[in-house]
Amino acid sequence: MAGGGFGGDTGGLKRAHLYEYKITKYFVFSCVVAAMGGSLFGYDLGVSGGVTSMDDFLKDFFPKIYRRKQAHLHETDYCKYDNQLLTLFTSSLYFAGLISTFGASYVTRKKGRRMSILVGAVSFFLGAILNAAAMNVFMLLIGRILLGSGIGFGNQAVPLYLSEMAPAKIRGAVNQLFQLTTCLGILVANMINYATDMIHPWGWRLSLGLAAVPATLMFVGGLLLPETPNSLVEQGKLEEAKQVLVRVRGTTNIDAELADLVEASNAARAIKHPFRNLLQRKNRPQLVLGALGIPAFQQLTGMNSILFYAPVMFQTLGFGSGASLYSSAITSGTLVVATIISIVLVDKFGRRAFFLEAGVEMFGYMVALAITLALKFGEGKELSKGVAYFLVIIICLFVLGYGRSWGPLGWLVPSELFPLETRSAGQSMVVCVNLLFTALIAQCFLVSLCHLKWGIFIVFAGLIFIMSCFIYFLLPETKQVPIEEVYLLWHNHWFWKKYVENDGQGGFEMEKPQV
């Protein structure tokens, strides 16, 4: 059966029915503080595109682009912002995050999720200060590298932290707090850009420097965070893990859940090389789905090209500077609304339903965008107000689809799939692949827009079709399945069961789920 159906959400799971929990203040505080890590990622996504469209910034660092922009001020031009050094300003952060995630994997596993969050906050703070004080392109790039390192550590630790702290039945909603704060960061950044664009000539410095605010909040809050029970058990701190589990679950009846954590930790201790273990046949589903497929496809939707370059893209399409920043603020506000919808409904309808339904919509919107540009847009032609409004609406609808599917679920689902013994390595791969494709999109979008013109949106539409098929055939439903028992789902999947059964590599016997 396509997609791998299951006879129930938790059928055959060993101790899941014995788990108990209440929503405690301690649990809420821990998750809200940790989720602020998403605001670092979101603020940078939102602020960088706005800053690169500001005239004062371009005059200081990219004068050739400024002169080209002025030459085409009253007309549209697909190639107006095509400059590899300018796109390197955006993409360098994500290349740095890609490299730092390997160090983050070690810290996350050996020192805990909380320590990675703190390291990420410090690095991001230093990058924000350096960017705000930059006097040349070299200082800008060094600052971006520090920001990227902070994002590498934060994106490594925060989704894991939220998934491990959350009870199985509400794990989807809790994990998506990361996406919600990411979206709020984007929205705040766009609103700040709209205001600082009117402050001459240093408004762009304020936009970049204010990234230090969420970094400071994340660091101070991180000092007060507890470590996750999973990580404490992994570090051999069993008594401390039990105390934290009692506090976050609001009950002393935590023996069943603790037993599952200890069992998973014992298996994890036998793994000396988690990255090598991730490549074993029995871990093929987690590798293909969680570590490679989903994080890569999340970027190939084309959404991040819109987030990075919304102001630039709207100016390319003939919007004025103020109008383009205002339009990008509207799209980021739509993203926040979409994430809230996903938080409320994802644990009811499931991950697959959101992926597939939104995939159909996003495919249609990309095709509509491409057709509209092909018919109504060209070099030297100004868009009519009606067509311009239509484009903003189409982009907002696309954002609404992405924001309730690939945006939050691209982080949620991978964080659910890995067993404890490969979880830090797996999440490191998720962040690495995600940032690699984020950087490639950031580096290549403007040059692709210049050469492919409206055809770039047809390319994204084709990729959305492929990734929807990928989800339909290969991803099982993980809603409300305890995170330590997700591995049991692979045994009943039409495709993956041949990998996890009789893997031939000395894997331990696992109880098969009952249908």
Side-chain angles (χ1 to χ4, degrees), residues 53 69 80-81 310-321 324:
S53 72
K69 177 182 174 182
K80 190 184 295 185
Y81 287 89
V312 168
M313 187 170 69
F314 282 124
Q315 284 198 36
T316 294
L317 297 179
F319 292 68
S321 177
S324 68

Side-chain angles (χ1 to χ4, degrees), residues 147-408:
L147 290 169
S149 297
I151 285 177
F153 274 84
N155 287 12
Q156 159 77 215
V158 172
L160 282 186
Y161 188 95
L162 295 173
S163 288
E164 291 180 347
M165 292 294 276
K169 290 186 177 180
I170 60 170
R171 188 175 63 243
V174 170
N175 185 275
Q176 288 189 72
L177 289 173
F178 176 75
Q179 178 69 10
L180 178 61
T181 57
T182 299
C183 298
L184 288 171
I186 295 169
L187 177 61
V188 169
N190 278 312
M191 299 306 291
I192 287 174
N193 282 340
Y194 184 73
T196 58
D197 188 45
M198 306 173 193
I199 302 174
H200 304 288
W202 52 270
W204 63 269
R205 294 187 185 275
L206 184 59
S207 285
L208 295 177
L210 284 175
V213 174
T216 301
L217 293 175
M218 183 176 165
F219 179 79
V220 173
L223 293 174
L224 305 176
L225 285 177
E227 187 53 83
T228 69
N230 310 60
S231 181
L232 291 169
V233 170
E234 193 175 21
Q235 297 174 57
K237 301 176 181 179
L238 191 59
E239 194 58 38
E240 190 176 343
K242 186 174 182 178
Q243 293 172 6
V244 172
L245 200 57
V246 168
R247 290 193 70 184
V248 297
R249 296 292 180 260
T251 176
T252 57
N253 190 14
I254 47 86
D255 291 341
E257 187 170 0
L258 185 64
D260 273 349
L261 295 181
V262 171
E263 184 178 305
S265 179
N266 290 335
R269 285 196 183 97
I271 305 299
K272 302 302 181 185
H273 304 285
F275 281 100
R276 190 183 305 168
N277 181 262
L278 189 59
L279 299 176
Q280 290 185 6
R281 182 180 174 88
K282 67 179 181 180
N283 291 321
R284 198 61 49 78
Q286 296 94 319
L287 176 67
V288 173
L289 285 167
L292 299 176
I294 291 176
F297 281 138
Q298 185 193 45
Q299 305 311 311
L300 294 175
T301 57
M303 180 59 199
N304 269 0
S305 63
I306 293 174
L307 293 180
F308 291 148
Y309 299 119
V312 168
M313 187 170 69
F314 282 124
Q315 284 198 36
T316 294
L317 297 179
F319 292 68
S321 177
S324 68
L325 289 170
Y326 185 68
S327 299
S328 62
I330 293 174
T331 59
S332 56
T334 304
L335 192 58
V336 173
V337 172
T339 305
I340 293 173
I341 292 172
S342 188
I343 288 173
V344 172
L345 299 177
V346 72
D347 284 316
K348 179 178 180 181
F349 293 105
R351 286 61 163 150
R352 280 169 50 82
F354 272 73
F355 270 131
L356 297 174
E357 180 272 332
V360 173
E361 287 190 33
M362 291 162 63
F363 174 83
Y365 297 141
M366 276 295 181
V367 172
L369 183 60
I371 292 174
T372 303
L373 292 177
L375 296 176
K376 299 293 184 179
F377 179 80
E379 294 184 17
K381 294 170 62 176
E382 289 192 56
L383 291 172
S384 67
K385 283 189 177 181
V387 173
Y389 289 143
F390 176 75
L391 289 174
V392 172
I393 291 171
I394 287 293
I395 290 174
C396 284
L397 289 173
F398 177 85
V399 169
L400 191 64
Y402 173 90
R404 66 177 187 273
S405 60
W406 281 94

Side-chain angles (χ1 to χ4, degrees), residues 1 4-12 489 492 513-515:
M1 178 170 58
F6 297 91
D9 288 326
T10 57
L489 299 177
N492 206 36
Q514 300 171 359
V515 178

Side-chain angles (χ1 to χ4, degrees), residues 37-60:
S39 65
L40 305 185
F41 191 32
Y43 188 86
D44 186 81
L45 280 172
V47 81
S48 55
V51 165
T52 53
S53 72
M54 293 182 184
D55 288 345
D56 292 324
F57 177 80
L58 293 175
K59 281 189 285 188
D60 286 345

Side-chain angles (χ1 to χ4, degrees), residues 33 47 68 101 293 295 300 338 391 441 456 479:
V33 170
V47 81
R68 185 194 306 166
T101 189
L300 294 175
L391 289 174
I441 290 292
I456 185 62
K479 72 169 184 176

Side-chain angles (χ1 to χ4, degrees), residues 69-88:
K69 177 182 174 182
Q70 296 306 305
H72 296 278
L73 189 62
H74 299 294
E75 63 183 54
T76 54
D77 184 351
Y78 280 110
C79 300
K80 190 184 295 185
Y81 287 89
D82 179 23
N83 181 279
Q84 288 301 295
L85 187 59
L86 177 65
T87 52
L88 184 62

